[in-house]
Amino acid sequence: MKNKLRNRNSLAHDSLTTAPAAAAAAAVGTSRKMATLARTLHLVSRIRPSTVLSILPRAAAVGCLHTTSLQEHRGVSRVVQPAIDKTSWCSSSVRDYSSKPPLTLDLIQQRVLLVLKLYDKINPEKLSVESHFMQDLGLDSLDHVEVIMAMEDEFGFEIPDADAEKLLRPADIIRYVADKEDIYD
Amino acid sequence: MSKLPRHTMSLKRFMLRTEAIKLYRNILRQLQHLPDKNQRAEIREWARQDFETHRHHEDEETIKRLIMQGKQQLEELERNHQEGKWIVIDGHRYDVDTSL
């Protein structure tokens, strides 16, 4: 949306700056077009130097257009207003709230294994989904408490003591989280 | 009476073990309230050390007494979280800087 706002503003500026350019070009005539443009642009450069470079080709185009059509229209014709897409950014009704990524069984498994790999008391080579914390990975019950706390942190909900003592493998944890988050694959 | 496998402990011991594990978990949960991560890690290490040094005790009374002590220290943590000022470890006073 920010981009569209910026474009809108710059277009507004462009319309301001191309008007005098167009006027000057139309007034002078085809022969002195480039000189006039240069002078106008010099004036313009005092107002807003940044848009000068951007409107240079545009002013030339507008100048051409207006000199050819001067025979028909008197005075300064309105600047060619580029079609501003007014509908898109005002009426956008989609709001982006930040939310948790949608969980799948696979994602849960990845996250669980990642947390376990980062735990310094676990040897990542021995780690697998079915490895038992105490029998295969050599953790003790206090380590197990720490692991469960880390899982609570990762998934953002508390695991009561009664449930925690049954979660003795990564597979158990994955199944438990999937149950709690209502994910069935 | 059938022979039970050697490593099963009495029900009382099992209950005490569960107490101790619950205590450790409650300490870790309380620590989440501390704003300073370094302090959190420090106290966690310190608690873990304490648990490790007393791991070997077989005597029920000793175990019960140690669990009581642990619970008192946990209450200390809770109280100081509510007051938000300071904590005492081994008689030394540590200021909890809540501005961090």
Side-chain angles (χ1 to χ4, degrees):
Chain A
M1 205 205 262
K2 218 182 170 183
N3 282 332
K4 289 189 176 152
L5 270 175
R6 220 187 306 129
N7 283 342
R8 216 161 171 263
N9 284 336
S10 64
L11 285 170
H13 284 301
D14 282 351
S15 62
L16 282 173
T17 49
T18 49
V28 174
T30 50
S31 55
R32 300 252 200 97
K33 210 175 16 182
M34 292 316 284
T36 323
L37 273 174
R39 238 178 289 140
T40 319
L41 290 172
H42 180 68
L43 275 169
V44 163
S45 69
R46 284 195 213 130
I47 306 169
R48 197 164 281 268
S50 58
T51 52
V52 168
L53 287 168
S54 62
I55 64 157
L56 194 64
R58 186 192 300 255
V62 171
C64 289
L65 277 172
H66 279 82
T67 47
T68 52
S69 65
L70 188 57
Q71 285 81 33
E72 289 95 64
H73 309 286
R74 286 253 7 159
V76 179
S77 52
R78 292 296 292 143
V79 175
V80 175
Q81 195 74 267
I84 299 174
D85 195 348
K86 276 191 181 154
T87 54
S88 61
W89 74 275
C90 308
S91 63
S92 149
S93 54
V94 175
R95 290 187 210 174
D96 292 324
Y97 295 108
S98 77
S99 58
K100 299 187 283 191
L103 286 178
T104 64
L105 265 184
D106 196 43
L107 186 60
I108 298 177
Q109 177 169 322
Q110 282 174 29
R111 287 167 74 178
V112 167
L113 289 178
L114 183 62
V115 169
L116 291 174
K117 278 188 196 138
L118 293 174
Y119 189 49
D120 56 357
K121 290 184 189 162
I122 291 183
N123 182 0
E125 285 162 34
K126 288 196 190 154
L127 178 65
S128 84
V129 182
E130 287 299 328
S131 45
H132 194 279
F133 288 132
M134 300 184 192
Q135 286 158 17
D136 300 333
L137 299 171
L139 299 181
D140 68 3
S141 45
L142 296 179
D143 296 329
H144 180 245
V145 171
E146 289 178 20
V147 163
I148 298 295
M149 296 276 324
M151 293 298 159
E152 286 181 358
D153 267 347
E154 171 69 23
F155 292 102
F157 63 88
E158 239 186 51
I159 301 176
D161 294 358
D163 295 340
E165 62 190 22
K166 299 190 192 114
L167 304 176
L168 299 169
R169 298 183 147 85
D172 299 336
I173 299 178
I174 294 166
R175 218 173 303 136
Y176 182 79
V177 173
D179 274 348
K180 286 286 166 174
E181 300 278 348
D182 285 332
I183 292 156
Y184 308 101
D185 262 351
Chain B
M1 181 96 87
S2 62
K3 276 202 171 159
L4 294 169
R6 244 179 294 146
H7 61 264
T8 52
M9 47 180 87
S10 71
L11 182 62
K12 235 179 185 169
R13 276 299 299 277
F14 181 75
M15 297 299 288
L16 285 175
R17 180 177 178 273
T18 315
E19 277 288 323
I21 296 174
K22 274 208 171 103
L23 177 63
Y24 188 62
R25 187 179 287 123
N26 287 333
I27 291 174
L28 289 190
R29 281 211 213 281
Q30 252 324 295
L31 286 182
Q32 298 282 32
H33 293 141
L34 277 181
D36 182 7
K37 282 209 164 145
N38 289 328
Q39 209 167 38
R40 217 184 287 174
E42 213 179 290
I43 301 181
R44 192 175 55 224
E45 280 308 312
W46 170 74
R48 184 62 192 255
Q49 279 298 325
D50 265 6
F51 272 82
E52 290 291 339
T53 50
H54 298 295
R55 188 191 271 260
H56 63 279
H57 289 296
E58 297 290 332
D59 175 33
E60 259 180 44
E61 288 304 312
T62 320
I63 297 177
K64 274 193 202 161
R65 185 172 41 90
L66 289 168
I67 292 181
M68 279 312 299
Q69 278 181 9
K71 283 193 175 153
Q72 280 167 2
Q73 287 176 334
L74 174 62
E75 277 166 27
E76 189 81 24
L77 269 181
E78 280 168 11
R79 218 180 312 137
N80 291 307
H81 163 64
Q82 274 160 10
E83 289 173 18
K85 300 287 182 208
W86 48 270
I87 50 176
V88 172
I89 301 177
D90 286 343
H92 298 285
R93 179 178 153 159
Y94 291 83
D95 285 312
V96 175
D97 191 352
T98 51
S99 64
L100 286 173

